[in-house]
Amino acid sequence: MAPTGLLLLLGCLASALLAGATKVHHHEFVVQETPVKRLCEEHNIITVNGQFPGPTLEVREGDTLVVNVVNQAQYNVTIHWHGIRQFRTGWADGPEFVTQCPIKPGGSYKYRFTIEGQEGTLWWHAHSSWLRATVYGALIIRPREDKPYPFEKPAREVPILLGEWWNANPVEVIREAQRTGGAPNVSDAFTVNGQPGDLYNCSRQDTTAISVKPGETALLRFINSALNHELFVSIASHKMTVVGVDASYTKPFVTSVLMIAPGQTTDVLVTMDQAPTRYYIAARGYVTTQGVAFDNTTTTAILEYDCGCTTDFGPTIPPAFPTLPAFNDTGAATAFAAGIKSPRKVEIPSPVDENLFFTVGLGLFNCEPGQLCAGPNNNTRFTASMNNVSFVFPKATSLLHAHYYDMPGVYTTDFPANPPVQFDYTAQNVSQSLWQPIPATKLYKLRFGSVVQVVLQDTSIVTPENHPIHLHGYDFYILAEGFGNYDAEKDAAKFNLENPPQRNTVAVPVNGWAVIRFRADNPGVWLMHCHLDVHITWGLAMAFLVEDGYGELQSLEAPPVDLPMC
């Protein structure tokens, strides 16, 4: 055989082997009502396949997921695959009325997407009303068969989903808040893998227990699935080595406490090097608002050594309890965030084509005449906004559908690149003339391939707060974070242009700012919003419309034939 022919054959064989290394995973998610008992009471909750939390999906990088979602519940539902890039497959992203109309009761929709260039821990959750309170699960992405982890292979891997529980129907909780304009009732408990843990009534015997062996190293995959609380997490007597966040590897660093915002994931290695007994994993809220009700309870799981000893430690010996930061310890949260860096020098997208400055925060609407409202100031309703625009979701179609078919009247593309009014964003007494945003459905248009830098600035309107901002369809680099008002001249010197962390959700510091950067190389309509669900309900969101590039590989795919209609 001629040399060129041999090379061609070898190339074809290599391609075939590579293609064979990836798999297509088929799953069916049945969304249904399921009775469960928590905190001494039985409730009917919405689940997937009767499981709470829902099924853990395990794939390898390069694999394809096909998930048929069948809605047998009484509510509309969508599923968001949180953190998946969805390159050209925006129809599978899932946020209701953004990339699809909801799956109505009795309907179904098949989500199809390939996972490329991502390894680590992500998750999936409902993106419709407050169904996310109980409809969520882990999504584990391992390296390809022939590729090892960038750290020593752990003896075991355990997903740990931190959640939030109401002794009520979460959908009714938010509906009541929307009716009155007031804040929703806070949750009654936090959970670890669906269980509140030892410190709550009627919960001790079902506390989540993780069995480990002395001397081994475990990979714990933490996911904050809570609706409205950032969480501090610690393990009694054990150090944690952070090795990944949001399906991106990190430069390893050792810590005794994690701060994980809703939407974020954190992978840690823990070596079982303590006396072989029982230790609590504990989590409680990190809260930055002033004078606002919050869930001040603590959830626990148990790390239980299986030592093969003749002594039975048994449930009579109380586990050791960790030291957790105070609920308002912003110093601990800041120190943890500062430790997260990429494992090596990265190629940061540049030069910047779009310099954007977005304020984020709360606000108030005046009540309609004759309406009685439960907001904090004389007949007001809570709202929230970005750049003074309180986002209004369409009701008759999705934004992506309207974009693809060039439908007029659904949205405009004049979302402001900067705050319409500049003011002292973090002042204690912001003029009340700035408290009322404009309700609208405004998008910001981006040219395919453009480099986008966004300053996310917290404001002290109503109250300053740490806001976890999640961008769909993209990972981004967090170049810097700080407190006070962002100053372009002074703060640009603080940018980490060497090894900034790559994430899909950034916790914007209370009374502070964060700077993110990404390349707009994924066509479609992509929601950016606060992952405190009460805030997205109030309008703390916007969306980017990324135009097609050149040719098929830079263009949004056609909508699937089974895409739900409104």
Side-chain angles (χ1 to χ4, degrees), residues 212-536:
V212 296
K213 293 184 180 298
E216 73 178 14
T217 296
L219 177 61
L220 305 183
R221 300 176 178 270
F222 285 98
I223 300 166
N224 187 346
S225 315
L227 260 69
N228 295 313
H229 284 82
E230 298 171 309
L231 294 169
F232 284 124
V233 185
S234 191
I235 306 175
S237 304
H238 291 73
K239 294 290 187 181
M240 296 174 281
T241 301
V242 177
V243 293
V245 295
D246 294 2
S248 292
Y249 293 119
T250 64
K251 183 178 180 180
F253 78 98
V254 178
T255 182
S256 60
V257 63
L258 313 175
M259 198 294 282
I260 313 178
Q264 292 183 331
T265 72
T266 303
D267 293 347
V268 301
L269 294 173
V270 180
T271 299
M272 308 306 157
D273 54 4
Q274 299 299 304
T277 180
R278 306 162 78 231
Y279 301 87
Y280 275 126
I281 302 171
R284 73 173 172 211
Y286 165 51
V287 181
T288 54
T289 52
Q290 300 292 321
V292 176
F294 66 94
D295 188 335
N296 64 354
T297 62
T298 302
T299 184
T300 56
I302 297 174
L303 199 66
E304 195 164 39
Y305 279 64
D306 175 12
C307 62
C309 310
T310 54
T311 303
D312 180 11
F313 293 104
T316 56
I317 298 178
F321 204 90
T323 301
L324 283 163
F327 74 89
N328 58 355
D329 192 340
T330 291
T334 304
F336 175 72
I340 302 173
K341 296 178 173 63
S342 289
R344 61 190 64 84
K345 181 175 174 59
V346 299
E347 290 187 21
I348 300 168
S350 62
V352 174
D353 300 300
E354 298 273 2
N355 261 303
L356 308 178
F357 190 107
F358 293 172
T359 54
V360 299
L362 305 186
L364 298 174
F365 282 143
N366 288 329
C367 281
E368 298 293 329
Q371 191 179 26
L372 202 61
C373 293
N377 292 355
N378 298 329
N379 266 357
T380 56
R381 303 175 61 85
F382 276 113
T383 185
S385 67
M386 299 178 76
N387 273 0
N388 205 46
V389 179
S390 184
F391 193 78
V392 177
F393 289 84
K395 297 297 182 187
T397 189
S398 74
L399 293 172
L400 190 60
H401 190 266
H403 161 59
Y404 188 83
Y405 290 105
D406 200 21
M407 297 171 57
V410 178
Y411 61 83
T412 60
T413 55
D414 57 344
F415 185 87
N418 295 281
V421 178
Q422 296 184 15
F423 58 98
D424 185 351
Y425 307 114
T426 55
Q428 287 189 345
N429 296 300
V430 176
S431 169
Q432 293 203 12
S433 65
L434 298 168
W435 284 37
Q436 295 222 22
I438 298 168
T441 310
K442 295 178 181 285
L443 279 56
Y444 192 91
K445 187 180 290 187
L446 295 172
R447 177 178 52 82
F448 184 93
S450 57
V451 174
V452 186
Q453 182 169 293
V454 187
V455 176
L456 296 163
Q457 172 73 59
D458 184 34
T459 68
S460 57
I461 295 175
V462 181
T463 178
E465 190 167 358
N466 186 303
H467 294 278
I469 302 297
H470 171 50
L471 175 59
H472 289 232
Y474 288 91
D475 288 325
F476 48 73
Y477 291 108
I478 304 174
L479 301 187
E481 297 180 13
F483 293 97
N485 296 329
Y486 176 77
D487 185 316
E489 290 186 10
K490 295 179 181 178
D491 292 328
K494 302 174 184 176
F495 284 10
N496 177 1
L497 301 176
E498 180 75 17
N499 59 351
Q502 182 173 259
R503 305 204 72 151
N504 62 57
T505 305
V506 57
V508 178
V510 56
N511 259 330
W513 50 268
V515 181
I516 66 173
R517 192 183 294 183
F518 63 96
R519 187 182 298 278
D521 58 0
N522 193 4
V525 177
W526 304 106
L527 191 65
M528 176 186 268
H529 65 94
C530 183
H531 221 277
L532 303 177
D533 269 29
V534 63
H535 289 178
I536 188 176

Side-chain angles (χ1 to χ4, degrees), residues 538-550:
W538 289 340
L540 210 169
M542 58 82 62
F544 289 109
L545 193 166
V546 182
E547 298 177 306
D548 285 347
Y550 297 101

Side-chain angles (χ1 to χ4, degrees), residues 124-144:
W124 58 265
H125 60 80
H127 213 298
S128 186
S129 183
W130 272 21
L131 290 181
R132 182 166 78 79
T134 55
V135 180
Y136 62 84
L139 173 51
I140 310 302
I141 310 166
R142 294 194 174 84
R144 296 188 184 225

Side-chain angles (χ1 to χ4, degrees), residues 77-277:
V77 71
T78 65
I79 301 294
H80 170 50
W81 315 93
H82 186 110
I84 294 293
R85 284 292 314 273
Q86 297 290 3
F87 188 68
R88 300 180 59 234
T89 55
W91 307 104
D93 190 44
E96 185 178 56
F97 295 114
V98 177
T99 60
Q100 67 168 99
C101 295
I103 307 167
K104 297 183 176 72
S108 66
Y109 177 45
K110 194 170 288 186
Y111 293 89
R112 310 165 180 85
F113 54 91
T114 298
I115 299 163
E116 299 177 87
Q118 296 180 283
E119 296 176 16
T121 305
L122 293 176
W123 61 304
W124 58 265
H125 60 80
H127 213 298
S128 186
S129 183
W130 272 21
L131 290 181
R132 182 166 78 79
T134 55
V135 180
Y136 62 84
L139 173 51
I140 310 302
I141 310 166
R142 294 194 174 84
R144 296 188 184 225
E145 289 279 6
D146 57 347
K147 184 182 176 185
Y149 288 129
F151 43 80
E152 185 177 348
K153 185 177 180 181
R156 69 186 69 216
E157 303 179 20
V158 185
I160 300 177
L161 294 103
L162 307 168
E164 208 166 352
W165 176 266
W166 277 262
N167 262 341
N169 180 341
V171 173
E172 294 303 321
V173 170
I174 189 57
R175 283 180 177 175
E176 175 66 10
Q178 289 174 303
R179 186 183 67 81
T180 66
N185 292 339
V186 299
S187 51
D188 295 290
F190 296 119
T191 58
V192 180
N193 290 350
Q195 294 293 342
D198 278 14
L199 306 183
Y200 298 91
N201 290 337
C202 307
S203 303
R204 179 182 296 272
Q205 68 181 19
D206 295 315
T207 298
T208 297
I210 299 167
S211 179
V212 296
K213 293 184 180 298
E216 73 178 14
T217 296
L219 177 61
L220 305 183
R221 300 176 178 270
F222 285 98
I223 300 166
N224 187 346
S225 315
L227 260 69
N228 295 313
H229 284 82
E230 298 171 309
L231 294 169
F232 284 124
V233 185
S234 191
I235 306 175
S237 304
H238 291 73
K239 294 290 187 181
M240 296 174 281
T241 301
V242 177
V243 293
V245 295
D246 294 2
S248 292
Y249 293 119
T250 64
K251 183 178 180 180
F253 78 98
V254 178
T255 182
S256 60
V257 63
L258 313 175
M259 198 294 282
I260 313 178
Q264 292 183 331
T265 72
T266 303
D267 293 347
V268 301
L269 294 173
V270 180
T271 299
M272 308 306 157
D273 54 4
Q274 299 299 304
T277 180

